[in-house]
Amino acid sequence: MKIALIGYGKMGKAIEEIALEKGHEIVLKIDADNQGDFTADNLKKADVAIEFTSPHSAVENIKKCLEFGVPVVSGSTGWLEHWNEVKEKCEDKNGALLYASNYSVGVNIFFELNKYLAKMMQPHQEYDVMLEEIHHTQKKDSPSGTAITLAEGVMQAFKNKKQWVNHISDNVDDLEIISERVDPAPGTHKIKYRSAIDDIEIIHTAHNRKGFAGGAVLAAEFLVGKKGIYSMKEVLGL
């Protein structure tokens, strides 16, 4: 498989390492210093693009890949207010897009565990629920995309939670997500149910970027040759 890396920071380099170990070829690397190389001719050398950039550049990067007819796996977060725009572009170009807020196999299992636990807890109104997430100081968005996905999973069961907020709140309709930025911290996510009697917590802690990078390569392998919009649920059969 020939891969274009759109974004060549720490995550891009981790993806490159795993892709090469699996026998794939990196045919293009795009970062802030060589945007002029992000052309149709260069991109079309790839079977698939893997895009990990920043919230302010992700949408245009994804649309560019779709415009040039190259399937794209995106792991950038913080841009989903433009989801419908990107979805329409993918459909208009009969393209292929796979998006996940987190590509770690363990995190995607954690997503499903979170939703299952929320369904179990919902009838027990003596418990309140909140989320915590910790990442390194270079992470540009807050809360993390993973935390937002977890919050949405909770709110599917807890209809009384009307919105998530990224601060402590006295409003019972709010689902709190508390964010912390410290180094070094690849990522920790906690869902806590609290009552006067006891607490119940589930926690996922990443030890390094390999889980995210390996899942992104797995997603790219899945997407090659396909059309449409996918998530890690399809990749992992969850």
Side-chain angles (χ1 to χ4, degrees), residues 28-46:
L28 182 65
K29 303 173 191 176
I30 299 295
D31 61 19
D33 298 325
N34 69 334
Q35 288 293 310
D37 293 337
F38 197 175
T39 64
D41 287 343
N42 285 337
L43 195 61
K44 286 178 179 178
K45 297 173 185 175

Side-chain angles (χ1 to χ4, degrees), residues 89-103:
K89 183 73 169 182
C90 185
E91 292 169 348
D92 180 59
K93 293 298 179 181
N94 191 28
L97 167 65
L98 198 156
Y99 171 75
S101 60
N102 195 308
Y103 282 88

Side-chain angles (χ1 to χ4, degrees), residues 32-146:
D33 298 325
N34 69 334
Q35 288 293 310
D37 293 337
F38 197 175
T39 64
D41 287 343
N42 285 337
L43 195 61
K44 286 178 179 178
K45 297 173 185 175
D47 300 312
V48 63
I50 301 179
E51 190 272 343
F52 274 80
T53 58
S54 62
H56 69 271
S57 60
V59 173
E60 291 307 313
N61 289 336
I62 296 167
K63 288 168 66 176
K64 209 169 182 179
C65 292
L66 294 169
E67 181 70 33
F68 296 157
V70 177
V72 55
V73 170
S74 175
S76 300
T77 58
W79 60 269
L80 288 185
E81 66 270 22
H82 301 288
W83 174 256
N84 287 337
E85 176 186 341
V86 170
K87 179 174 179 285
E88 288 172 9
K89 183 73 169 182
C90 185
E91 292 169 348
D92 180 59
K93 293 298 179 181
N94 191 28
L97 167 65
L98 198 156
Y99 171 75
S101 60
N102 195 308
Y103 282 88
S104 161
V105 172
V107 165
N108 280 274
I109 292 171
F110 192 64
F111 285 155
E112 298 305 307
L113 175 62
N114 171 57
K115 288 189 285 188
Y116 185 72
L117 179 57
K119 288 178 184 177
M120 292 179 65
M121 296 301 297
Q122 189 278 329
H124 303 283
Q125 295 298 309
E126 67 271 26
Y127 287 89
D128 195 16
V129 57
M130 58 90 67
L131 286 78
E132 298 176 11
E133 59 102 352
I134 305 170
H135 281 87
H136 52 84
T137 57
Q138 292 178 326
K139 185 165 181 59
K140 295 182 175 68
D141 55 325
S142 180
S144 68
T146 301

Side-chain angles (χ1 to χ4, degrees), residues 12-40:
K13 291 178 173 66
I15 291 169
E16 177 182 40
E17 181 180 350
I18 289 175
L20 294 176
E21 286 174 358
K22 298 184 77 172
H24 302 308
E25 181 182 356
I26 308 300
V27 295
L28 182 65
K29 303 173 191 176
I30 299 295
D31 61 19
D33 298 325
N34 69 334
Q35 288 293 310
D37 293 337
F38 197 175
T39 64

Side-chain angles (χ1 to χ4, degrees), residues 122-217:
Q122 189 278 329
H124 303 283
Q125 295 298 309
E126 67 271 26
Y127 287 89
D128 195 16
V129 57
M130 58 90 67
L131 286 78
E132 298 176 11
E133 59 102 352
I134 305 170
H135 281 87
H136 52 84
T137 57
Q138 292 178 326
K139 185 165 181 59
K140 295 182 175 68
D141 55 325
S142 180
S144 68
T146 301
I148 293 172
T149 300
L150 290 165
E152 290 170 345
V154 170
M155 290 189 295
Q156 286 177 16
F158 282 75
K159 304 300 184 184
N160 61 308
K161 296 296 184 183
K162 305 302 183 185
Q163 62 183 356
W164 60 261
V165 296
N166 197 206
H167 55 77
I168 294 173
S169 173
D170 294 327
N171 188 339
V172 294
D173 293 339
D174 291 342
L175 176 58
E176 297 173 1
I177 304 175
I178 307 303
S179 298
E180 188 177 356
R181 297 291 175 262
V182 296
D183 290 322
T188 295
H189 293 86
K190 178 190 298 185
I191 300 96
K192 178 185 287 188
Y193 292 86
R194 301 174 294 189
S195 78
I197 298 172
D198 56 14
D199 292 350
I200 299 172
E201 298 179 11
I202 55 173
I203 302 171
H204 179 275
T205 301
H207 300 307
N208 52 54
R209 291 182 174 83
K210 288 185 178 180
F212 311 118
V217 174

